[in-house]
Amino acid sequence: MDTSLVLYNSLNGKKETFKPIIPNNVGMYVCGPTVYSKVHLGNCRTFISFDLIFRYLQHLGYNVRYVRNITDVGHLENDSDEGEDRIAKKARLESIEPMEVVQRYTVDFRNTMTQFNALVPSIEPTATGHILEQIELIKDIIKKEYAYEVNGSVYFDVIKFNKDIPYGKLSGRNIKDLIHNTRSLEGQSDKKNPQDFALWKKAEPLHILRWPSPWSDGFPGWHLECTAMSTKYLGTQFDIHGGGMDLKFPHHECEIAQAESIHKKSPVNYWLHANMLTLNGKKMAKSTGNNILPAEMFSGENSLFKKSFSPMVVRFFMLQAHYRSIVDLSESALVASEKGFQRLIQGLSKIDTLTIGDKSTGFDLNLWQNKCYSAMNDDFNSPLLIAHLFDAVKYINSLANGLQKINKTDLNKLSKLMNSFFFDVLGLLNTEKTQTEKGNQKLDGAIKLILELRNKARSSKDFDTSDLIRNSLSELNIEINDSLEGSTFKIN
Ligand code: AMP
Ligand code: ZN
């Protein structure tokens, strides 16, 4: 079986065979959420994409150290170097401590990820917990003369850096175009050039999120935290760095420049970028209001969809697209995923009920297994894997109908593979109620209501009605038992 994993590397736009720096070990860093509000489904898609990647790497036997940070300082409005810190702004608006904002939305994020059955990363460092590391990095960059201090703030000198090491490798932007396209700051900023970015910002007197540093009481820049935390936990060169496509520029480009300015080598071997979830054809985003929260989806309390969708259906829907494709959220697509998911679960639960034959017919299990692994080895092609799982369900159905046969060894193998792809690799759970279970629930509710009506009739001495109910139910093989505690029923 071919187990060589191929990844699409955003750094060069090529699919490359994955070779970790230390055999059997993988270091993976993924930019985590900025915890100033509830995560929307778009954010969740990126984290579910990397959960799939984390799971599959582990499934292949790699020992993965997965670091996903929590951004709790330094991410300013509009992703720029000016404007208010997102967390501080929320704290001001709600008159609470910034750390209360952080706590509230970190908890919300973790709970949401648990609902989606995403595995917990190996380390979840916070930016505020790594201020010292960030200050040390700035000192190093200043020492290498790629950063300068102005009025207590420190900026990365992109033009100077680009003279020695090319800037723009990841995003494909070249410095000339950047200069051409950025508006001059006309003395409004301390920066030498508009392309420069902040490593440390001096805090205004009223700014609450502040720490002492050699340059001023202030706070670190957003790009710096990821360089500090990835280097600390994964080293100066590590295997995989991930995040949403929208972080490629400037965030990840700046991370590369920061690390290269100190170590003179590329910090990351494989850059992986997950594509966006859209709603009505537009990127789902907090700032535009074009978004839906996971809880609104699960409860059905939203104005977008007529029905609710469970976390596993939403996860399945997302995995039915490749992580590098754009996905648009729509009711019809979700309904189709819900049906598909039910079909998969029904197939899975039928495996244990199949009769064993003396030989297998109608399905090449080894070929199927290879196809499943080839799909995932080709840059984590989960939609193709799911299509193969549906092929297996068809086979399971024809086994159940007696149209094909399976021997004991093959049945064990099929069961093991189906279960491991469904639960371990795709990270799905069998929490869905089947149509029959749903039907049973409704029937129970209806009978309880009839019993209540019968009790009412009995207490008003309307024995004709109460007998009619008992006899009619009895004809349907539903037996009523009256006791001092009340009436119960049994469906025979
Ligand atoms: P933020 O909290 O804004 O730093 O974003 C957290 C993560 O969600 C980042 O990796 C973003 O790239 C990702 N993200 C934001 N919007 C979307 C979207 N519409 N679809 C997929 N990922 C997104
Ligand atoms: Zn980051």
Side-chain angles (χ1 to χ4, degrees):
M1 190 174 45
D2 181 18
T3 52
S4 60
L5 174 64
V6 169
L7 308 182
Y8 178 87
N9 193 348
S10 306
L11 196 57
N12 53 22
K14 288 193 186 127
K15 280 190 180 173
E16 296 179 333
T17 301
F18 179 61
K19 215 170 158 256
I21 297 167
I22 305 165
N24 303 323
N25 287 274
V26 178
M28 175 162 90
Y29 185 90
V30 171
C31 294
T34 308
V35 283
Y36 72 108
S37 65
K38 291 186 175 172
V39 277
H40 57 67
L41 274 181
N43 304 131
C44 297
R45 181 182 180 208
T46 286
F47 299 120
I48 291 172
S49 295
F50 284 99
D51 183 57
L52 173 78
I53 292 171
F54 180 39
R55 282 171 176 277
Y56 190 60
L57 290 168
Q58 287 184 311
H59 178 79
L60 290 181
Y62 289 112
N63 178 19
V64 188
R65 179 179 291 168
Y66 173 22
V67 183
R68 185 182 66 201
N69 72 299
I70 297 282
T71 298
D72 56 357
V73 69
H75 195 171
L76 308 188
E77 289 178 291
N78 309 318
D79 291 352
S80 71
D81 285 341
E82 306 301 328
E84 223 175 329
D85 182 291
R86 293 177 189 215
I87 306 230
K89 181 176 178 184
K90 185 76 168 206
R92 177 173 63 76
L93 293 175
E94 302 212 352
S95 301
I96 53 175
E97 276 290 321
M99 281 302 133
E100 270 180 285
V101 174
V102 167
Q103 173 73 358
R104 183 184 294 169
Y105 298 113
T106 302
V107 168
D108 171 75
F109 170 61
R110 292 199 176 128
N111 287 344
T112 306
M113 284 300 115
T114 305
Q115 283 179 297
F116 280 121
N117 197 33
L119 298 175
V120 176
S122 328
I123 308 178
E124 273 188 293
T126 60
T128 54
H130 295 77
I131 301 290
L132 290 180
E133 287 82 352
Q134 295 178 75
I135 291 176
E136 287 309 307
L137 275 186
I138 300 173
K139 284 188 196 162
D140 284 348
I141 302 175
I142 292 178
K143 226 183 269 166
K144 304 274 182 194
E145 299 181 359
Y146 291 117
Y148 56 91
E149 185 208 333
V150 182
N151 295 331
S153 292
V154 182
Y155 297 96
F156 189 92
D157 192 335
V158 173
I159 307 286
K160 175 139 194 286
F161 172 79
N162 184 61
K163 285 193 180 125
D164 300 332
I165 303 173
Y167 176 80
K169 291 186 273 292
L170 180 67
S171 57
R173 296 176 197 221
N174 78 40
I175 199 84
K176 282 204 194 92
D177 294 341
L178 277 176
I179 293 171
H180 186 72
N181 292 331
T182 357
R183 158 173 77 83
S184 112
L185 295 167
E186 287 163 12
Q188 300 161 23
S189 166
D190 293 332
K191 289 184 197 177
K192 280 200 222 162
N193 298 292
Q195 297 74 34
D196 296 350
F197 57 89
L199 299 173
W200 187 264
K201 288 278 286 182
K202 180 180 173 175
E204 298 296 326
L206 289 179
H207 192 104
I208 7 184
L209 281 165
R210 59 201 297 142
W211 291 262
S213 82
W215 314 285
S216 63
D217 268 13
F219 56 93
W222 172 38
H223 315 310
L224 192 69
E225 62 174 89
C226 287
T227 301
M229 291 184 269
S230 60
T231 313
K232 172 155 179 159
Y233 298 111
L234 300 171
T236 53
Q237 200 159 34
F238 57 94
D239 300 301
I240 297 176
H241 192 314
M245 205 74 108
D246 55 341
L247 297 186
K248 235 185 194 182
F249 187 87
H251 186 54
H252 291 160
E253 199 69 79
C254 295
E255 275 188 54
I256 295 179
Q258 288 165 163
E260 287 186 342
S261 73
I262 305 173
H263 304 294
K264 305 276 185 280
K265 61 180 179 190
S266 184
V268 176
N269 286 347
Y270 305 89
W271 282 90
L272 266 50
H273 286 99
N275 217 328
M276 298 291 109
L277 183 70
T278 60
L279 184 61
N280 301 314
K282 291 196 200 76
K283 183 189 164 193
M284 198 177 275
K286 189 91 230 158
S287 53
T288 56
N290 185 44
N291 65 64
I292 175 165
L293 301 180
E296 295 170 336
M297 189 87 168
F298 307 154
S299 65
E301 282 163 20
N302 63 76
S303 52
L304 293 166
F305 304 120
K306 289 199 273 307
K307 68 185 284 309
S308 64
F309 294 96
S310 72
M312 280 308 110
V313 166
V314 178
R315 183 178 172 109
F316 185 69
F317 161 80
M318 291 186 183
L319 296 176
Q320 276 189 300
H322 189 268
Y323 79 92
R324 281 191 295 115
S325 321
I326 291 177
V327 176
D328 195 57
L329 195 67
S330 72
E331 179 136 0
S332 56
L334 284 162
V335 167
S337 289
E338 190 170 49
K339 282 198 188 126
F341 187 55
Q342 297 281 359
R343 200 146 51 87
L344 205 51
I345 285 178
Q346 278 160 12
L348 208 61
S349 50
K350 265 187 214 163
I351 296 181
D352 295 332
T353 66
L354 297 175
T355 334
I356 295 166
D358 46 359
K359 63 180 172 70
S360 302
T361 59
F363 197 73
D364 188 336
L365 199 52
N366 287 333
L367 179 69
W368 176 79
Q369 179 183 13
N370 283 345
K371 283 203 271 185
C372 292
Y373 278 102
S374 301
M376 285 305 286
N377 286 339
D378 181 15
D379 196 29
F380 313 101
N381 196 335
S382 57
L384 191 54
L385 169 67
I386 291 171
H388 296 323
L389 298 190
F390 280 129
D391 286 343
V393 169
K394 266 191 219 148
Y395 176 52
I396 292 165
N397 287 336
S398 60
L399 290 168
N401 296 336
L403 299 173
Q404 302 292 351
K405 286 186 195 157
I406 191 162
N407 69 28
K408 193 167 183 232
T409 323
D410 285 350
L411 182 60
N412 285 343
K413 186 169 173 178
L414 178 66
S415 170
K416 202 168 153 257
L417 285 167
M418 278 297 276
N419 279 293
S420 88
F421 285 130
F422 185 88
F423 293 106
D424 305 340
V425 174
L426 295 174
L428 296 165
L429 292 173
N430 188 357
T431 47
E432 290 304 286
K433 295 219 168 2
T434 60
Q435 287 303 333
T436 329
E437 284 172 310
K438 277 188 194 162
N440 287 347
Q441 244 178 8
K442 285 184 187 154
L443 180 63
D444 286 359
I447 300 175
K448 276 187 193 136
L449 175 71
I450 294 172
L451 291 190
E452 256 174 55
L453 295 174
R454 179 172 165 267
N455 281 342
K456 263 193 170 173
R458 288 208 308 171
S459 50
S460 54
K461 304 220 178 328
D462 177 3
F463 296 113
D464 284 350
T465 305
S466 77
D467 286 347
L468 175 71
I469 291 176
R470 171 187 279 279
N471 296 338
S472 306
L473 287 179
S474 170
E475 272 171 34
L476 293 168
N477 286 329
I478 300 170
E479 184 190 312
I480 300 181
N481 293 310
D482 295 316
S483 72
L484 285 175
E485 282 91 46
S487 307
T488 55
F489 68 92
K490 205 169 114 205
I491 303 175
N492 294 314

